[in-house]
Structures are given as structure tokens and as C-alpha cells.
């Protein structure tokens, strides 16, 4: 299959592009490099021993999107491109609605004109908002609590409306829980710009000495050790979920939604301990007040993905930390510092 991957230079997109190449697919990456570097794709090609066609295009440039998709052609699109910083989305909501929602509309128009109507979309467990009825099933109502999450909800609604109106569309909405880890080679991984907001990249940067200690946001939650519980999922397991979804869509029309998580929650302190074991060094931390908007507990019921796609996550927290550590140790400043 020829697969167009928007946002393919980014964290999850680069790992998924590698899996696509390894499975024998042809890959065209469309990315404006606003939160990534082309170096990620060079590494993916090195690992796969095959080439990616890269097109530097902003999804907000409607004509450029139409041209690139029209010229590339293809069988399906995996749509990762989007902005994802929750805090920034609260400060700059219009930027998020513009980039994520309008960018997606431009993509959909271009796909329709090119006759490509198979789409896998990066949604997020963030659509469940503060719901703590765990494990979360796909039937839990959408109730995002910030503009970033609402862009995901709105795009999900748009995609459902589209496939109801035109039965030629086959669409998968993949709701990721907390993606972490890196390819086991340590050659590709997450390279957040600035100070990371997410736990794992921050812990990894503490381990290499870029920050003194981890601030643990809240130790008075109603959880076994008082710290927040999340469903961390290895990025390579996540990538495999996209290939399974593409395969499923070959013979189905309509919109389908699946949680991609492990079904197992880990607390902040468990994560810090697992990372310290993986890195073989202490991770200093101190307790700080709760972070506004954080739920106490969130983890998936991933049984629909298993039943429909035959997919389940295989890697445990120790492997996530080992792989994230290898990437961080070998590339302490991400792609910027690598040789
Ligand atoms: P990322 O920032 O590493 O990758 C996103 C990529 O999209 C980047 O390479 C960026 O340059 C590109 N991009 C952004 N806006 C674009 C535009 N207008 N035109 C073209 N390219 C554009 O993020 P990621 O972690 O790989 O996330 C991928 C997707 O998964 C995003 O849609 C994100 O919202 C979603 N998601 C991520 C997480 C997570 O924790 N990482 C969790 C749930 C959902
Ligand atoms: C995990 C746990 C924090 C940092 C976010 C987005 C969500 C999705 C995934 C895109 C929580 C605690 C964190 C730190 C800490 N992204 N923590 N110290 O908030 O579950 O989800 O990323 O769709 O939309 O909201 O992930 O990694 O930020 O936090 O104690 O320095 O770690 O309080 O309990 P979160 P996270």
C-alpha cells in the first residue's frame, strides 16, 4: 500500500513510518516541521533500509495540500499532524482550532478530490476529560476539558458526519492513552522542544542531568500511593495499532473508534522507580501541588481493539523505560545534538 503520513516526522509518526516501511508499504510523509526535524526521517530510513518521500507542506496551506495529495496519490492517510500542548492550547485556543481543525478540513477536502477515502486519525484519551470511571471504554462520553482536547472531539465529530454522509469513507479514530518509550535501537525517539510537559520525557531529562529533580504533581490523590495513575503505552505498540487499523479498514466502511492503551495503570512514583532501575541511577523528586485539570486515574479498556483488530500492547513499563532511556542517553539533546 502507498500510505501518506501527515506529521510523519514527529514522535509517533516517525515510529509508525518505520513500521510501515518494515511491513513493505510505500510511505510519503507530509509535515511542516513545526515540531520536528527531518533528521528523524533520515534515521527511520537508516533503520528500515528503504526510502521515504518527504514533502514539506503545512496543512493550513490548502492549495499546497491539494497539490501534494493529488500528485502523490495513495491508498490511505494516517493523520498525525497537529499541535498537542494542553497548556499552550489554553493560552492560544485559536492557534489550536486553526491548526488542528482547519488543517484536518483541508486534508479531507484534498483526499476527497484525490479519491483517497481511507483515514486513520490520531485521537486521544483526552477526549474523555476528567472521567474517572476506569477502565475507560469507547462508550464513555466525550467531555474534553481544554481546547486541545476539544479539537480532537470536533475532528472526531467531523469524521463521523463525513462517513455517515458518504459511505465511501473508511475511518479509524485511535484514542491513544499515554505514549512513551522509543524504538529499541535508540536511534529515534521523542524530542520535545523546550521543557517537556509530559512525565516520561521530563524524568528522562532528569536522568541525564538536564534538570535537577522531578516535581511530582500531587501526592494526595485517592490512589494506592497518592500519585496520579496513567496508562503508559510503548510507542512501538502504538505504531503497530495503526497498521492493524489500516488492515481492518481495507474491508470496512464507516467510522470506528478504538482505545489504544495497555489496560494497566501506573502511578507517577512507579514510573520514577522503573526509570531509575532502567537507567541505573537515582531520579531525585519532590512532591508539589496537583497540576490543575489532572485526573487522579486514567486507564483504558483496550478489549475492543483486541476483538476487532487482534491488537494488544506487548511491552511493559520496564521496557518503555529501558527504550526511552537508551534514546535519551544516546541523544541527550535529542536530534539537535546527534551525529
Ligand atoms: P509531534 O508533535 O511529535 O508530531 C506532530 C507532527 O505534526 C510534527 O512533526 C509537526 O511538525 C507536524 N505538524 C503540526 N502541525 C502541522 C501542520 N499544520 N502541517 C503539517 N505538519 C504539522 O506529536 P506526536 O506526539 O507524534 O503526536 C502525533 C499525534 O498524536 C498528534 O495529533 C497528537 O495530538 C496525537 N496524540 C499524541 C499524544 C502524545 O502524548 N504524544 C497522545 C494522544 C494523541
Ligand atoms: C502523567 C502524570 C501528572 C509531569 C497528557 C495530555 C493528554 C495526552 C497525553 C495528547 C500525571 C504527572 C507529569 C511532571 C508529574 N496527550 N506529572 N510531574 O496529563 O496524563 O496526558 O499527555 O493527547 O492529552 O494531557 O500526561 O505525562 O503530562 O502526566 O507528576 O513533571 O504525571 O500529574 O499524573 P497526561 P503527563
Amino acid at each position: 500500500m502507498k500510505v501518506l503520513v501527515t506529521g510523519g516526522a514527529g514522535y509517533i509518526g516517525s515510529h509508525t513510518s518505520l513500521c510501515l516501511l518494515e511491513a513493505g508499504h510505500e510511505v510519503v510523509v507530509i509535515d511542516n516541521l513545526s515540531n520536528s526535524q527531518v533528521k528523524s526521517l533520515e534515521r527511520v530510513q537508516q533503520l528500515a533500509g528503504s526510502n521515504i518521500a518527504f514533502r514539506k507542506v503545512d496543512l493550513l496551506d490548502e492549495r499546497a495540500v491539494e497539490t501534494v495529495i493529488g500528485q502523490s496519490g495513495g491508498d490511505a492517510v494516517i493523520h498525525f499532524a497537529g499541535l498537542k500542548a494542553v497548556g499552550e492550547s489554553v493560552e492560544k485556543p485559536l492557534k489550536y482550532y486553526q491548526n488542528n481543525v482547519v488543517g484536518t478540513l483541508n486534508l479531507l477536502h484534498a483526499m476527497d478530490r484525490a479519491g483517497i477515502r481511507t483515514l486513520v486519525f490520531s485521537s486521544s484519551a483526552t477526549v474523555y476529560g476528567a472521567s474517572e470511571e476506569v477502565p475507560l471504554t469507547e462508550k464513555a462520553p466525550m467531555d474534553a476539558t481544554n481546547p486541545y482536547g476539544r479539537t480532537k472531539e470536533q475532528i472526531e465529530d467531523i469524521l463521523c458526519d463525513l462517513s455517515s454522509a458518504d459511505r465511501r469513507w473508511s475511518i479509524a479514530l485511535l484514542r491513544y492513552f499515554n505514549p512513551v518509550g522509543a524504538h529499541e535501537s535508540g536511534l529515534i525517539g521523542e524530542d520535545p522542544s523546550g521543557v517537556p510537559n509530559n512525565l516520561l520525557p521530563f524524568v528522562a531529562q532528569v536522568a541525564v542531568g538536564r534538570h535537577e529533580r522531578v516535581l511530582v504533581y500531587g501526592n494526595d490523590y485517592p490512589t494506592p500511593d497518592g500519585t496520579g495513575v496513567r496508562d503508559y503505552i510503548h510507542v512501538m505498540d502504538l505504531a503497530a495499532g495503526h497498521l492493524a487499523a489500516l488492515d481492518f479498514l481495507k474491508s470496512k466502511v464507516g467510522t470506528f473508534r478504538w482505545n489504544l492503551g495497555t489496560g494497566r495503570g501506573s502511578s507517577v512514583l512507579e514510573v520514577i522507580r522503573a526509570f531509575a532501575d532502567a537507567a541505573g541511577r537515582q531520579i531525585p523528586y519532590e512532591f508539589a501541588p496537583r497540576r490543575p485539570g489532572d485526573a487522579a486515574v486514567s486507564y483504558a479498556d483496550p478489549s475492543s481493539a483486541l476483538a476487532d483488530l487482534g491488537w494488544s500492547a506487548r511491552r511493559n513499563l520496564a521496557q518503555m523505560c529501558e527504550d526511552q532511556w537508551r534514546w535519551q542517553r544516546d541523544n541527550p539533546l535529542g536530534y539537535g545534538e546527534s551525529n
Side-chain angles (χ1 to χ4, degrees), residues 273-290:
R273 274 195 294 271
F275 205 93
D277 285 348
R281 50 182 80 181
Q282 299 273 322
I283 308 286
Y285 65 86
E286 71 184 42
F287 293 119
R290 292 181 180 193

Side-chain angles (χ1 to χ4, degrees), residues 7 56 95 133 168 180 183 263 276 281:
K56 185 167 184 244
K95 178 178 173 183
E133 282 200 20
R168 292 173 298 176
V180 298
H183 185 259
R281 50 182 80 181

Side-chain angles (χ1 to χ4, degrees), residues 12-321:
I12 306 168
S14 55
H15 290 78
T16 305
S17 294
L18 175 59
C19 292
L20 287 166
L21 290 177
E22 285 177 343
H25 299 295
E26 196 181 331
V27 175
V28 180
V29 164
I30 297 169
D31 201 303
N32 65 358
L33 302 180
S34 60
N35 196 38
S36 54
Q37 297 185 38
V38 81
K39 193 142 206 164
S40 64
L41 297 176
E42 292 165 10
R43 298 273 184 93
V44 169
Q45 294 178 118
Q46 182 188 334
L47 284 166
S50 51
N51 290 331
I52 288 175
F54 173 60
R55 309 278 180 258
K56 185 167 184 244
V57 169
D58 190 327
L59 291 187
L60 292 179
D61 184 342
E62 197 175 352
R63 287 179 69 180
V65 176
E66 190 173 341
T67 304
V68 75
I69 292 193
Q71 285 173 353
S72 304
D75 304 293
V77 173
I78 307 184
H79 179 31
F80 293 104
L83 298 173
K84 62 167 182 177
V86 172
E88 188 191 41
S89 81
V90 175
E91 285 157 27
K92 299 176 180 167
L94 296 185
K95 178 178 173 183
Y96 273 67
Y97 288 112
Q98 181 81 16
N99 192 78
N100 293 3
V101 180
V102 176
T104 301
L105 288 172
N106 289 342
L107 174 69
L108 294 171
H109 282 303
M111 287 175 66
D112 200 33
R113 283 188 202 109
I116 305 171
R117 297 190 185 85
T118 299
L119 176 71
V120 177
F121 172 62
S122 298
S123 189
S124 169
T126 204
V127 298
Y128 298 123
S131 169
E132 291 186 3
E133 282 200 20
V134 286
L136 285 153
T137 73
E138 292 83 355
K139 291 196 177 70
M142 293 204 287
D143 188 20
T145 56
N146 56 67
Y148 163 69
R150 281 189 280 273
T151 69
K152 294 296 180 191
E153 275 192 26
Q154 292 179 2
I155 295 166
E156 285 204 10
D157 286 342
I158 289 167
L159 294 173
C160 286
D161 288 343
L162 177 61
S163 70
S164 302
D166 182 343
R167 298 301 289 173
R168 292 173 298 176
W169 284 84
S170 304
I171 298 174
L173 311 175
L174 302 184
R175 294 174 175 169
Y176 315 152
F177 277 68
N178 289 59
V180 298
H183 185 259
E184 62 184 11
S185 63
L187 277 177
I188 56 172
E190 185 173 12
D191 184 14
S193 54
V195 178
N197 300 308
N198 295 116
L199 180 65
L200 254 295
F202 195 89
V203 169
Q205 291 191 3
V206 170
V208 285
R210 286 176 65 177
H211 309 284
E212 245 175 61
R213 60 178 62 82
V214 182
L215 293 181
V216 176
Y217 298 138
N219 63 344
D220 58 352
Y221 284 109
T223 60
D225 65 18
T227 67
V229 167
R230 295 290 182 276
D231 187 340
Y232 298 94
I233 175 166
H234 196 294
V235 66
M236 293 303 291
D237 282 332
L238 202 58
H242 292 73
L243 273 77
L246 270 184
D247 203 42
F248 177 95
L249 293 179
K250 273 193 224 155
S251 57
K252 300 281 193 309
V253 292
T255 292
F256 307 86
R257 52 182 68 74
W258 291 288
N259 285 339
L260 296 187
T262 64
R264 185 184 179 283
S266 304
S267 74
V268 177
L269 291 182
E270 281 179 281
V271 169
I272 292 175
R273 274 195 294 271
F275 205 93
D277 285 348
R281 50 182 80 181
Q282 299 273 322
I283 308 286
Y285 65 86
E286 71 184 42
F287 293 119
R290 292 181 180 193
R291 190 172 62 178
D294 273 356
V297 179
S298 167
Y299 58 90
D301 175 346
S303 56
S304 293
L306 179 61
D308 298 342
L309 307 176
W311 173 91
S312 62
R314 294 175 193 286
R315 296 160 178 90
N316 61 22
L317 183 63
Q319 288 166 291
M320 299 178 210
C321 293

